[in-house]
């Protein structure tokens, strides 16, 4: 409903009759890595776990909006789920600018990895806004409205916002200087080895994933000397636009000691993971060069 | 005296009759930057100040040793100053391997910047061991011995030592795994702007120095985007082997905000300042990419 010619209701079965689209998407919470910020910021103290990748199948949001007929006054699409707010928490509602909502890869998904969407992942329906931070992927979706201006609910006007200028660590930022977080930034994750892993001198294999929201990863570089020198990691063959890409590398470590292994990804827009974080009051979009410390003992 | 054919005593006037040599040298305390280590380490909590550059003139240590005739058993040269230890502190004595002691650039200096050596800088005589950490530059020098093995005094056997392997932050390191700190490592210092400096949007000028012990600086790169992208700084014309080299750069900063300016030096052996520090129990040789935070306000 909202700024449309013909508001309507669709059953899940009716939705499934619309053309099917499948997208493989890395979903990451904007707050992933929040715990690494100094000074620290409030919120769930995520380290590396708030990210995952899945294949979603559903109807295109564009096809649903076409049936309704968006008026010239429609600027945003409001996504609302069936989840009820706990206690005094505001309702979880998010909005997407019309251009992104109409994108061919924006899907209302009823399948995940070829199976019906699990309850935890939003059964019966979940919005999938590829390349954008995970909070756009509204679960248990049951209501889509076209609206004329940015929604004024808590989860649009207050949460998931990032300063529109570089702020000093610890600085308070006026609401007028905050913008919605949209696309994910270039980032990598080392899954092998894990922090504190022990090795004998010899070859140490590294494995990980890199992603950059709507962009492609063009290279991942790795280091074993505290980031003084770097070499290219080998990228995996699978390259989906919105999905993380595997990388692997080997280090021949002859001498015993404590080593910091690092990974640094670059995307096709030339963005590269930075040396130092850009502090922000909600601890969003942490993407500093990835580091894992290992122990080599004879 | 020591492992020499002809021990002798020289007056300052006699020393001045030996051929003169002048070296321009950056002297840096091995502990400069110690305060930046985490976990923190004991010792004077130096930030950036424990470094300076001067022109020293004196006699070559090699000429003095030649007069004495070093025996085949002589492996180190022990340098001892006239300073008396305070309380129970051990006497300050340092030793230099024979090859470095005999190097043409190693001098016993009686002038600094064209003037007699000031008392604070070691009048009448100071050892200058170019490119090596500052503690080799023994002040108030009045006794030189050639010795057959590494000296066992506190300031050789215990202090100014660095692990011979990469150790984990906070780890205790056995004395057998420690080696003397010798050459200074590649490093840079931003003197302009200073931390917390305020600017209006527009051009911000950066100035600094870079040094690398016995090596030459080949480039300095600078960044204003948290170390995501880098550009070359302009190097000054003066290039002395052991002296720091000036660099300068400009940033055009249009938007208000808090910016982290960085500098990263590379030397002619391909060494580059690292992203992360190599922790060690005495906090020596800090040379992580240099960072200064500034504030741009309209």
């Amino acid at each position: 409903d909202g700024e449309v010619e013909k508001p309507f209701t669709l059953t899940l079965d009716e939705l499934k009759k619309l053309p099917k689209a499948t997208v493989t998407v890395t979903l990451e919470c904007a707050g992933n890595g929040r715990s690494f910020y100094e000074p620290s910021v409030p919120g769930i103290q995520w380290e590396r776990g708030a990210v995952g990748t899945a294949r979603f199948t559903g109807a295109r949001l564009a096809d649903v909006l076409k049936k309704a007929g968006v008026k010239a006054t429609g600027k945003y699409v409001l996504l609302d789920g069936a989840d009820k707010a706990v206690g005094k928490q505001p309702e979880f509602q998010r909005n997407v600018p019309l251009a992104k909502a109409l994108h061919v890869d924006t899907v209302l998904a009823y399948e995940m990895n070829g199976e019906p969407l699990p309850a935890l992942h939003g059964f019966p329906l979940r919005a999938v806004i590829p390349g954008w931070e995970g909070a756009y992927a509204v679960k248990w979706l049951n209501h889509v409205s076209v609206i004329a201006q940015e929604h004024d609910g808590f989860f649009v006007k207050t949460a998931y916002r990032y300063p529109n200028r570089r702020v000093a660590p610890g600085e308070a930022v006026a609401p007028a200087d905050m913008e919605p977080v949209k696309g994910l930034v270039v980032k990598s994750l080392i899954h092998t080895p894990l922090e504190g892993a022990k090795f004998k001198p010899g070859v140490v294999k590294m494995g990980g994933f890199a992603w950059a929201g709507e962009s492609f990863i063009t290279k991942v570089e790795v280091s074993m000397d505290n980031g003084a020198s770097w070499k290219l990691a080998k990228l995996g063959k699978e390259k989906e636009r919105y999905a993380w890409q595997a990388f692997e590398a080997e280090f021949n470590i002859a001498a015993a000691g404590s080593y910091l292994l690092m990974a640094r990804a670059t995307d096709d827009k030339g963005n590269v993971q930075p040396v130092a974080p850009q502090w922000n009051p909600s601890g969003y979009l942490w993407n500093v060069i990835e580091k894992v410390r290992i122990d080599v003992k004879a």
Side-chain angles (χ1 to χ4, degrees), chain A:
Chain A
D1 59 14
E3 306 294 316
V4 295
E5 306 292 349
K6 297 162 286 177
F8 62 88
T9 304
L10 265 184
T11 66
L12 186 59
D13 282 342
E14 287 164 349
L15 191 79
K16 285 180 177 175
K17 284 178 190 141
L18 292 174
K20 278 195 177 191
T22 295
V23 283
T24 305
V25 173
T26 293
L27 288 175
E28 182 184 21
C29 173
N32 199 21
R34 177 183 287 131
S35 66
F36 304 128
Y37 278 102
E38 292 176 27
S40 63
V41 292
I44 298 175
Q45 293 301 302
W46 292 113
E47 294 187 356
R48 296 179 171 86
V51 58
T53 298
R55 205 167 72 250
F56 292 98
T57 300
R60 292 192 177 89
L61 178 52
D63 288 339
V64 173
L65 294 172
K66 212 176 296 168
K67 275 174 76 90
V70 175
K71 290 183 184 172
T73 47
K75 301 293 182 208
Y76 289 87
V77 176
L78 185 67
L79 305 167
D80 192 3
D83 46 332
K84 289 286 163 233
V86 177
K88 290 188 176 174
Q89 239 198 333
E91 212 187 343
F92 193 76
Q93 294 171 314
R94 297 281 291 155
N95 67 191
V96 185
L98 194 63
K100 183 71 176 173
L102 291 174
H103 193 282
V104 67
D105 293 323
T106 297
V107 166
L108 306 182
Y110 42 78
E111 287 179 14
M112 178 172 158
N113 297 331
E115 306 279 337
L117 201 63
L120 200 66
H121 289 283
F123 177 89
L125 204 62
R126 176 175 199 175
V128 176
I129 316 294
W132 286 26
E133 62 97 1
Y136 285 98
V138 175
K139 295 172 176 179
W140 312 291
L141 186 75
N142 66 355
H143 190 181
V144 172
S145 304
V146 178
I147 56 179
Q149 54 198 13
E150 195 176 67
H151 186 60
D152 62 1
F154 174 80
F155 291 105
V156 175
K157 270 293 179 219
T158 305
Y160 303 110
R161 296 178 89 88
Y162 192 84
N164 58 13
R165 59 185 178 86
R166 294 168 181 275
V167 301
E171 184 182 344
V173 186
D177 288 348
M178 301 288 278
E179 288 178 356
V181 175
K182 290 177 180 166
L184 294 172
V185 291
V186 64
K187 185 163 174 179
S188 62
L189 174 74
I190 297 171
H191 58 65
T192 306
L194 292 176
E195 179 79 17
K198 291 178 196 316
F199 293 89
K200 299 219 168 280
V203 173
V204 173
K205 291 188 183 207
M206 177 197 278
F209 291 101
W211 64 98
E214 295 173 299
S215 302
F216 283 101
I217 294 295
T218 51
K219 65 175 175 181
V220 176
E221 296 157 294
V222 296
S223 172
M224 57 163 270
D225 60 3
N226 297 52
S229 71
W230 297 84
K231 65 175 186 178
L232 284 177
K234 195 178 153 193
L235 295 182
K237 278 177 197 156
E238 277 193 70
K239 286 178 216 254
E240 297 263 4
R241 174 171 286 280
Y242 309 105
W244 61 24
Q245 197 175 353
F247 66 87
E248 52 180 49
E250 285 185 1
F251 298 100
N252 202 334
I253 302 185
S258 173
Y259 290 83
L260 202 52
L261 304 186
M262 300 193 187
R264 174 174 77 179
T266 300
D267 73 15
D268 60 356
K269 296 194 177 59
N271 298 309
V272 56
Q273 293 186 256
V275 170
Q278 191 162 330
W279 189 90
N280 61 93
S282 296
Y284 291 140
L285 300 180
W286 173 271
N287 74 329
V288 165
I289 291 171
E290 168 78 344
K291 302 175 186 79
V292 167
R293 189 171 283 279
I294 65 163
D295 186 26
V296 176
K297 267 195 182 138

